[in-house]
Amino acid sequence: MIQSIFSTLSLVLFGFFVILTSSCQEQKERKEVSIEELPTDHSDLNTYAKRHIEAALRIPATEKYTLSIHKENLDGDDKQDAIILVNRYQFAMDEAVKSNNSAKRAELGFMGNYNYIFYFDGALNLISPPLAIPSSPMLPLKVSFENISSSSFKDILIDFRIRNSSYEDYYTVTNHSPRRIFQWKIFDGLGTPNQESFIFNYETGSYSEAKDIVISKGRIGAIPKKADLFIYEPTITAENKQETLYRFFYLPQKGIYATNK
């Protein structure tokens, strides 16, 4: 009886030791920059962003990657926020070389989670966890800002590439986190007979303070004969006759954009 109890207790203690060890290892692997380590005046945000991102994505010291910081007021307070873009092109190429289907990956533009955005909240002095944008690493993400949800702060527009097509995501900051509210193509089928492109405009909201997103047809300029269609960035102009193709309006109760079409 005593031997049985001792055996059971030993198993429990061993199990607790395994759980504790795993927990410590997990915490070590997921170590991120603490609040105390972040700058209080944003003057050295680049250094702290680099440390945070390398920890969050487990980027080794030998890897070359690009990081860019874009500052803007994104939530209506009096503190400056920022969007941090990360591109891991070298990591994507290394993975392709190590795989057994590198030719297929090249055919798909090396699609994967190699482009990321991070949100820096100026009031909280915190950098968010990574938000992966599945896309081609051959071109980094692009960011721009527009007053769409409100006139008192900017929303975030992220452009990303998938092979010979390009898309735009719209994010608004809610509860200290970026939330996607809309996505549409910038162009599609580049260099093919079915290529198409679009022009975006913003007008007074139909159902809320948030502006309507009005989409019309665009025209793609001449493409050089030897252009790499996976990375070539075409010029897009408005058609002579600007006809609205879609009007998207924001539905506050659902937190998304919708259209009648």
Side-chain angles (χ1 to χ4, degrees):
M1 179 68 176
I2 294 176
Q3 184 177 2
S4 176
I5 294 173
F6 178 77
S7 299
T8 302
L9 181 61
S10 297
L11 287 172
V12 171
L13 289 174
F14 177 74
F16 176 75
F17 173 76
V18 170
I19 293 172
L20 180 62
T21 303
S22 300
S23 176
C24 291
Q25 180 65 25
E26 184 177 1
Q27 290 181 16
K28 182 178 179 181
E29 290 177 350
R30 294 184 179 182
K31 181 183 177 184
E32 295 183 354
V33 180
S34 67
I35 296 175
E36 289 75 19
E37 292 176 298
L38 286 167
T40 58
D41 60 358
H42 308 173
S43 61
D44 198 21
L45 179 56
N46 188 73
T47 299
Y48 289 93
K50 187 174 185 295
R51 292 173 59 190
H52 178 94
I53 287 162
E54 289 180 358
L57 299 179
R58 300 178 185 177
I59 297 176
T62 55
E63 181 183 329
K64 294 181 180 179
Y65 68 97
T66 61
L67 178 157
S68 60
I69 298 175
H70 309 265
K71 297 180 179 180
E72 188 56 82
N73 184 347
L74 300 173
D75 56 10
D77 59 25
D78 61 348
K79 301 294 184 180
Q80 192 172 55
D81 310 300
I83 291 296
I84 305 166
L85 304 181
V86 176
N87 174 269
R88 301 185 69 186
Y89 175 77
Q90 179 189 321
F91 180 60
M93 296 303 104
D94 290 345
E95 281 203 330
V97 170
K98 294 175 184 177
S99 72
N100 296 322
N101 58 348
S102 56
K104 185 64 176 179
R105 289 197 178 197
E107 183 182 336
L108 297 175
F110 303 100
M111 273 285 299
N113 290 335
Y114 306 113
N115 280 310
Y116 296 86
I117 66 173
F118 291 77
Y119 171 62
F120 172 72
D121 190 302
L124 295 181
N125 207 29
L126 284 172
I127 300 176
S128 73
L131 176 59
I133 308 292
S135 55
S136 169
M138 300 169 71
L139 283 176
L141 302 174
K142 290 182 178 180
V143 63
S144 57
F145 304 102
E146 292 282 351
N147 289 103
I148 298 175
S149 296
S150 172
S151 58
S152 60
F153 60 87
K154 301 281 188 178
D155 286 319
I156 307 151
L157 281 61
I158 301 290
D159 296 1
F160 61 95
R161 195 67 172 263
I162 297 179
R163 302 182 69 197
N164 61 338
S165 303
S166 182
Y167 294 80
E168 189 160 67
D169 279 351
Y170 288 63
Y171 293 85
T172 191
V173 174
T174 305
N175 295 326
H176 307 286
S177 298
R179 177 175 59 86
R180 194 176 73 176
I181 54 176
F182 185 68
Q183 181 189 88
W184 198 258
K185 294 179 286 187
I186 300 173
F187 61 83
D188 192 18
L190 185 66
T192 72
N194 298 319
Q195 72 179 12
E196 57 181 351
S197 62
F198 302 93
I199 300 293
F200 299 77
N201 289 297
Y202 312 105
E203 298 180 0
T204 302
S206 299
Y207 296 95
S208 68
E209 180 187 359
K211 292 179 180 178
D212 288 357
I213 301 175
V214 180
I215 297 176
S216 55
K217 190 176 181 181
R219 176 178 294 175
I220 295 176
I223 303 173
K225 290 183 178 180
K226 295 184 179 181
D228 185 342
L229 299 176
F230 283 10
I231 61 174
Y232 179 72
E233 299 186 57
T235 57
I236 299 175
T237 56
E239 287 277 9
N240 291 333
K241 183 180 179 181
Q242 281 299 91
E243 180 180 348
T244 296
L245 297 177
Y246 302 96
R247 176 180 291 272
F248 289 90
F249 46 84
Y250 188 69
L251 299 177
Q253 65 274 23
K254 294 186 177 181
I256 58 172
Y257 271 87
T259 182
N260 289 325
K261 292 188 177 181

